[in-house]
Amino acid sequence: MRKLLVVAMACACFVACGGSNNPPPASATTNASDAGDVAPASSSSAPAGSTTSTSDPGAVATNGATNADAGAPAAADPHPFAKDAADAESMIDDAIESRHSDVEKCAADARKRMGDQHGKVSLLVGIDQEGSVIGVKVPKGEKKDEKLLVCVRAALKGAPFPRSHNGVITIKKTYEEALEGHM
């Protein structure tokens, strides 16, 4: 009777693991991303974005992909990782430009308050290493316009600023009203 129980358990384990042609079951943790995030191998306690198929006990946790959508492109990272300082500056500039019309409206309103429809409006935008706006201010020597700063912060909210290992990166942006016929 004892031999029969051992053989039955061995067969059940063999069938549950999918036979000898499949890879061994996943370890307790699997690397889920470049940043060192670790996702549990079981789907019952996996964080959002890390999934495993419950029908395949040997499935390895992936970064948001299941067996059904393994060939589908991954969703864009809202805070992509910059390789170096130059890459981060370029990506920050692109993120600000993705909100150009909103920021330009803020600058136009500031020009009206200044009484100079063609004046320059300069901004310093600081981004931390996690891709979050930590500050918007005017350069030294220029008149502070709190309404402008609040407006620009709101316009840049949610922009896809990059993460990086370069600490805080500050970008200077200047907005000028283009004279008609002079572009």
Side-chain angles (χ1 to χ4, degrees):
M1 183 68 162
R2 189 172 191 184
K3 277 187 176 180
L4 187 58
L5 182 60
V6 170
V7 171
M9 287 176 50
C11 288
C13 181
F14 182 77
V15 170
C17 292
S20 62
N21 291 336
N22 284 348
S27 62
T29 59
T30 304
N31 191 5
S33 73
D34 297 353
D37 297 336
V38 177
S42 86
S43 62
S44 63
S45 62
S50 295
T51 59
T52 58
S53 172
T54 56
S55 63
D56 184 3
V60 176
T62 58
N63 201 12
T66 62
N67 291 344
D69 64 359
D77 185 357
H79 296 285
F81 197 83
K83 295 177 268 187
D84 55 33
D87 189 35
E89 288 177 13
S90 174
M91 293 168 80
I92 290 169
D93 190 58
D94 291 346
I96 293 171
E97 286 303 309
S98 75
R99 307 295 172 95
H100 180 80
S101 60
D102 294 336
V103 176
E104 180 58 47
K105 183 181 180 320
C106 297
D109 291 345
R111 282 189 211 94
K112 287 178 189 173
R113 286 189 297 276
M114 290 184 335
D116 183 358
Q117 293 297 320
H118 306 292
K120 288 183 185 181
V121 175
S122 295
L123 300 165
L124 297 173
V125 180
I127 308 298
D128 70 8
Q129 65 188 25
E130 296 302 316
S132 300
V133 175
I134 60 169
V136 178
K137 63 183 186 177
V138 295
K140 273 187 176 178
E142 294 190 23
K143 186 178 177 185
K144 186 174 179 179
D145 181 344
E146 194 59 41
K147 287 182 182 180
L148 168 67
L149 303 179
V150 169
C151 182
V152 172
R153 280 187 207 106
L156 295 178
K157 186 174 181 148
F161 293 112
R163 294 176 291 134
S164 73
H165 289 300
N166 298 304
V168 175
I169 297 176
T170 301
I171 300 289
K172 181 177 181 179
K173 297 294 284 181
T174 301
Y175 294 88
E176 297 182 61
E177 178 69 38
L179 299 173
E180 289 184 35
H182 292 71
M183 292 197 179

